[in-house]
Amino acid sequence: MEVYETVVTALAIFLYSVFLGVALYLFWRHIWFFRNPQRKIPPEGSGILSPADGTVVYVKKVYPDEKVITIKQGLDATINDITKEDITRPKILVGIFMSPFNVHHNRAPVTGRVEFIHHYPASHEKNLCMVSMHYRTLFNRRPLHRNSVHIVQNERTVTRIGAGYRGKPLSCYVVQIAAKSVAGIDTYVKPGDTVDAGQIFGMIRIGSQVDLVVTDIEGMKVKVAPGDKVRAGETILIE
């Protein structure tokens, strides 16, 4: 009888653990993941805001054909590889990795007009897993982008916003890069729309990456570095 009660108790604990695990996963997947906390948007003119929550994985000022990063031996990435656009002027690039536990609503970095929205499928017909970047950001293993081939291969949506900055024209590209598990890249604006800095303009469903590319204007100061944690619509990336 005692053995029977022990087995029943163990089975009950196991089933309860399974139920609790499933319940927590469903809560995260269908409720917590879609949370949209309010953000305190800095005053207009404070600087260029982060388009995403997450961890900064690379920051660089680059020329169009200059390699931004070396992903692994034999594979470099240029600004054109990331944006899939023909960039002709020097730019500032900030890459932000979004773990599955970050808020996934994306916000406009600047106030301006949406000039285009281009969608690009994965280079080899499937998205690669971002597990290497997830591991390296979790344990702060530098460089954070090492072995992350998804940076150049995965599906992405590129939104360009035309704006003014310190009296000069500014082109701002937001690159939403899908992960293997992504269920879709959502865009809530269309070409011709005006967006305000900090306004939600899209979302990537489940872990992903968002890169910001802006015109390098004399006097700009980058305020973040690899490893920094940022919040969409609140953190100033560039002044």
Side-chain angles (χ1 to χ4, degrees):
M1 185 66 177
E2 186 175 335
V3 174
Y4 173 76
E5 290 179 350
T6 301
V7 171
V8 171
T9 300
L11 180 61
I13 293 174
F14 172 74
L15 292 176
Y16 176 77
S17 299
V18 171
F19 172 79
L20 182 62
V22 171
L24 287 173
Y25 170 77
L26 292 175
F27 173 76
W28 166 77
R29 178 66 181 82
H30 296 286
I31 299 176
W32 182 249
F33 180 82
F34 292 94
R35 68 196 185 282
N36 184 18
Q38 290 187 343
R39 295 294 164 87
K40 187 176 181 180
I41 313 299
E44 187 72 28
S46 298
I48 298 173
L49 307 181
S50 176
D53 284 29
T55 303
V56 175
V57 289
Y58 44 74
V59 179
K60 195 165 185 181
K61 294 187 177 185
V62 291
Y63 289 93
D65 295 325
E66 178 187 357
K67 72 178 182 181
V68 177
I69 53 175
T70 297
I71 296 172
K72 63 179 184 178
Q73 186 174 2
L75 180 60
D76 299 325
T78 68
I79 202 76
N80 291 348
D81 294 325
I82 293 171
T83 63
K84 306 299 182 185
E85 301 290 333
D86 186 15
I87 303 295
T88 58
R89 293 183 59 189
K91 301 290 183 182
I92 297 176
L93 167 70
V94 180
I96 302 167
F97 175 69
M98 305 167 67
S99 85
F101 303 104
N102 287 126
V103 174
H104 270 57
H105 292 280
N106 299 141
R107 294 175 179 266
V110 294
T111 295
R113 178 178 175 273
V114 178
E115 296 180 337
F116 67 64
I117 301 171
H118 293 166
H119 178 262
Y120 300 92
S123 299
H124 299 285
E125 299 182 355
K126 66 176 182 178
N127 287 325
L128 298 177
C129 184
M130 295 184 176
V131 66
S132 177
M133 187 168 282
H134 197 171
Y135 163 77
R136 299 184 78 87
T137 55
L138 187 62
F139 295 101
N140 196 27
R141 298 293 300 272
R142 306 298 180 97
L144 302 177
H145 57 266
R146 178 65 57 82
N147 296 325
S148 295
V149 183
H150 72 266
I151 294 169
V152 295
Q153 179 169 318
N154 284 22
E155 170 193 3
R156 66 203 59 211
T157 295
V158 181
T159 301
R160 189 173 78 185
I161 302 170
Y165 193 78
R166 295 178 179 172
K168 297 181 180 180
L170 177 82
S171 288
C172 176
Y173 298 80
V174 181
V175 185
Q176 297 168 287
I177 305 174
K180 186 174 183 179
S181 58
V182 161
I185 301 175
D186 298 333
T187 303
Y188 307 143
V189 296
K190 62 184 184 300
D193 286 353
T194 297
V195 293
D196 294 323
Q199 174 185 332
I200 293 174
F201 76 91
M203 181 181 190
I204 312 178
R205 285 175 272 132
I206 309 301
S208 42
Q209 180 176 335
V210 175
D211 282 10
L212 172 72
V213 180
V214 298
T215 307
D216 185 8
I217 296 175
E218 185 179 357
M220 278 184 164
K221 295 181 180 179
V222 179
K223 307 296 290 183
V224 294
D228 288 352
K229 305 297 183 182
V230 295
R231 288 164 61 88
E234 281 190 357
T235 305
I236 297 174
L237 301 183
I238 303 168
E239 285 184 344

